[in-house]
Amino acid sequence: MENIDWKNLPFSYIKTDYNVRCYYRNGKWGELETSSSEYAMLHIAATGLHYGQEIFEGMKAYRGQDGRIRLFRCRDNAQRFINSGSYIQMAAPSVELFVEAVKKTVKLNERFVPPYESGATLYIRPLLLGSGAQIGVKPADEYLFIVFVTPVGPYFRTGFKPVNVMLTRDSDRAAPLGTGHIKCGGNYAASLPAIIGAQQLGYATCLYLDAKEKKYIDECGPANFFGIKNNTYITPDSNSILPSITNSSLIALAKDLGMKVERRPVEISELETFEEAGGCGTAAVITPIGKIFDPEYNKTYDYGSEAGAVSEKLYNLLRAIQYGDAPDTHNWVEFVD
Ligand SMILES: Cc1ncc(COP(=O)(O)O)c(C=O)c1O
């Protein structure tokens, strides 16, 4: 793309050429359709508009040094999409249909896949919504699956620098037996008071606690949390945390590096003992945490103003695999050719 200033792209929406859509009607999925419109016509009684029957995914396409376009663990995103949809009683596409739609959308918008080393990537957003009309609280009988893409700039314009986050005690993102483990739109609406509240006080995002006891660490804004100590990668285990594909990749890489891995409830008091802390997710891979502020006790946990050595090593390793600069020993990469 000749007109895009790849190095200064923001992390926001830019129109691309095409998106791909598929309709579920009369109990089955139709053909994939290509559209150049950014709009979708919806029935005013669609369950996606009223009852939150809406799920989505977030993934990226990376252009390697060889010019080839890579997808990272896209089948895991497909499986998570299916898990999300089935939990809220939606008809979800198969793994094959999901992957085909994603590859087709990337291919159709190939000119928007940023060049290697521009720091930018093509963000991929698959979404599914109940499109059938219902007025009672029940699942729709029709669904609309859409995949669109948009090129995004690097998450860290200022480099791989730690951010400060704030513990949240006065709002929950998800209930203990609720929808935190799936990627439905309602979770993100519920997460906004705490995220915006933290940002208004100058923090990058909030750190949620478990909804029941306010004793354990939960999600870190729209990312999973991890801490490092004694050559161990520790990440919270909870039903209200989204199973992050980045986190599961970092766990595998930490094991490859000979580190121990613990996935278990993490009490707030343990924050004191970590040598490094961070958030992880598709957008930034790792967001190192500099400070965690607990407003209730006016206490700050400080991990330093530079990213820790382990976080940096894991970050570099994962990015190298995503861009094809390191061997894909776990078979995570698929090509769009
Ligand atoms: C709430 C939440 N947690 C964690 C993640 C990280 O997940 P992943 O690594 O699969 O992008 C995301 C982003 O998708 C998220 O929205």
Side-chain angles (χ1 to χ4, degrees):
M1 266 300 279
E2 48 299 333
N3 305 327
I4 295 187
D5 180 7
W6 300 113
K7 287 207 166 14
N8 292 305
L9 262 185
F11 197 89
S12 58
Y13 177 82
I14 287 179
K15 185 182 187 310
T16 54
D17 291 336
Y18 301 105
N19 54 80
V20 166
R21 304 166 185 214
C22 193
Y23 294 88
Y24 179 90
R25 290 186 183 121
N26 302 318
K28 58 178 193 303
W29 287 101
E31 296 293 311
L32 287 180
E33 296 172 18
T34 301
S35 172
S36 57
S37 168
E38 292 171 283
Y39 297 90
M41 180 96 97
L42 282 178
H43 193 290
I44 55 174
T47 64
L49 298 178
H50 300 258
Y51 298 128
Q53 267 201 311
E54 192 278 337
I55 59 160
F56 64 100
E57 271 303 324
M59 45 206 290
K60 285 174 169 178
Y62 309 83
R63 196 185 290 278
Q65 204 160 7
D66 53 7
R68 294 181 78 189
I69 301 169
R70 290 160 170 81
L71 297 175
F72 184 72
R73 302 189 72 171
C74 60
R75 281 161 209 277
D76 294 303
N77 288 93
Q79 192 53 57
R80 191 169 68 185
F81 199 63
I82 293 169
N83 297 347
S84 297
S86 60
Y87 189 72
I88 54 171
Q89 310 297 314
M90 303 172 82
S94 64
V95 170
E96 287 315 316
L97 181 58
F98 180 98
V99 173
E100 186 188 347
V102 165
K103 287 188 173 172
K104 184 171 177 155
T105 315
V106 173
K107 186 76 191 159
L108 285 166
N109 295 290
E110 198 172 346
R111 70 193 187 106
F112 292 96
V113 184
Y116 177 73
E117 283 211 320
S118 60
T121 46
L122 188 74
Y123 189 77
I124 306 166
R125 170 53 52 86
L127 64 110
L128 177 70
L129 49 103
S131 52
Q134 294 289 8
I135 207 65
V137 181
K138 54 185 162 195
D141 49 13
E142 293 187 359
Y143 292 87
L144 170 57
F145 170 43
I146 303 176
V147 182
F148 72 82
V149 293
T150 190
V152 293
Y155 209 76
F156 295 110
R157 202 154 284 291
T158 51
F160 187 57
K161 291 272 183 244
V163 301
N164 297 336
V165 305
M166 188 179 103
L167 276 187
T168 294
R169 293 173 190 276
D170 56 1
S171 131
D172 294 312
R173 171 188 171 271
L177 297 177
T179 53
H181 62 294
I182 66 166
K183 206 163 166 67
C184 64
N187 291 344
Y188 295 79
S191 75
L192 288 176
I195 292 182
I196 301 303
Q199 287 173 352
Q200 281 169 346
L201 293 172
Y203 295 90
T205 194
C206 62
L207 188 57
Y208 293 98
L209 298 176
D210 75 285
K212 196 169 177 181
E213 295 182 78
K214 297 280 180 289
K215 186 173 166 192
Y216 302 101
I217 304 299
D218 209 81
E219 292 270 20
C220 180
N224 279 184
F225 175 86
F226 70 87
I228 307 281
K229 65 175 171 187
N230 307 328
N231 200 33
T232 309
Y233 180 99
I234 299 160
T235 190
D237 187 20
S238 143
N239 180 57
S240 53
I241 290 179
L242 185 75
S244 154
I245 292 161
T246 312
N247 198 3
S248 97
S249 310
L250 294 173
I251 286 172
L253 295 177
K255 286 181 184 162
D256 290 351
L257 290 174
M259 293 178 67
K260 281 183 284 191
V261 169
E262 293 175 11
R263 190 175 224 154
R264 55 165 171 77
V266 174
E267 283 194 29
I268 302 170
S269 57
E270 198 175 348
L271 290 177
E272 194 107 63
T273 65
F274 291 135
E275 296 150 14
E276 298 176 31
C280 60
T282 296
V285 179
I286 286 176
T287 306
I289 296 177
K291 291 187 178 120
I292 300 173
F293 177 60
D294 183 343
E296 181 136 321
Y297 295 96
N298 195 22
K299 185 172 168 63
T300 300
Y301 303 90
D302 196 338
Y303 305 103
S305 56
E306 294 297 328
V310 176
S311 300
E312 193 162 351
K313 191 184 266 186
L314 289 169
Y315 172 82
N316 287 333
L317 251 175
L318 186 50
R319 273 177 50 102
I321 296 172
Q322 289 168 334
Y323 282 93
D325 292 334
D328 177 25
T329 50
H330 293 276
N331 286 322
W332 285 333
V333 172
E334 264 190 57
F335 292 94
V336 179
D337 284 323

